[in-house]
Amino acid sequence: MPVVAQLKIHDDENRFGVVCTLHIVCDNCGFDSQFKTSNRKNNAYEANVRLTYSMRCVGVGREGTNLVCGLMNMPPPTIRYTDTNNVLLKSLKKMCDESMTKAVQQAVSVNDCDGNYLCPVMVLWL
């Protein structure tokens, strides 16, 4: 008769914002496999950065994020909210700089400019 293993999942209550460590434990042999619920990039957990970004997109700051997390029965955002904002700002700034540089290069190319003259560029403000 095959042995059926009982697996239990539990949280060790060691949180980093909305990220936690989960343990999968086998009752038969006691094997414990643990993992974080988010990847870490640039000294910030991706789930925390995504939460901060989404709240910024809807115009909500830290207090609003606390409220949303409370309503969704989620842990509060990271204590280092300002650090997460700075990681996000650095990434967005890099993306914007690259995008604007590419747009200028395209405008120079389309308008046959050699870079020494101002190229006519149409800017639309919505």
Side-chain angles (χ1 to χ4, degrees):
M1 184 167 195
V3 176
V4 178
Q6 292 289 323
L7 298 177
K8 292 183 180 175
I9 299 175
H10 70 88
D11 178 3
D12 68 1
E13 300 295 326
N14 188 10
R15 300 194 184 279
F16 304 93
V18 296
V19 179
C20 65
T21 303
L22 294 179
H23 295 264
I24 300 176
V25 182
C26 176
D27 281 348
N28 290 349
C29 66
F31 179 75
D32 181 358
S33 178
Q34 64 181 8
F35 60 93
K36 297 262 191 264
T37 57
S38 178
N39 293 326
R40 189 176 178 122
K41 296 179 183 176
N42 299 326
N43 292 331
Y45 286 102
E46 189 174 338
N48 292 329
V49 173
R50 287 177 181 266
L51 175 65
T52 303
Y53 179 67
S54 63
M55 293 294 102
R56 286 181 64 153
C57 284
V58 295
V60 175
R62 181 176 178 89
E63 291 306 314
T65 305
N66 284 339
L67 178 65
V68 168
C69 287
L71 291 171
M72 298 294 291
N73 197 22
M74 293 171 50
T78 179
I79 295 170
R80 298 174 23 188
Y81 195 80
T82 303
D83 293 343
T84 305
N85 256 331
N86 289 338
V87 167
L88 187 57
L89 176 64
K90 203 162 60 172
S91 297
L92 290 173
K93 184 179 181 324
K94 180 181 175 190
M95 184 185 72
C96 287
D97 288 347
E98 290 172 359
S99 176
M100 287 186 270
T101 300
K102 185 176 178 182
V104 168
Q105 291 170 347
Q106 185 178 9
V108 168
S109 173
V110 167
N111 292 297
D112 294 326
C113 296
D114 64 3
N116 294 325
Y117 304 101
L118 291 176
C119 294
V121 179
M122 185 171 151
V123 178
L124 298 174
W125 297 97
L126 299 176

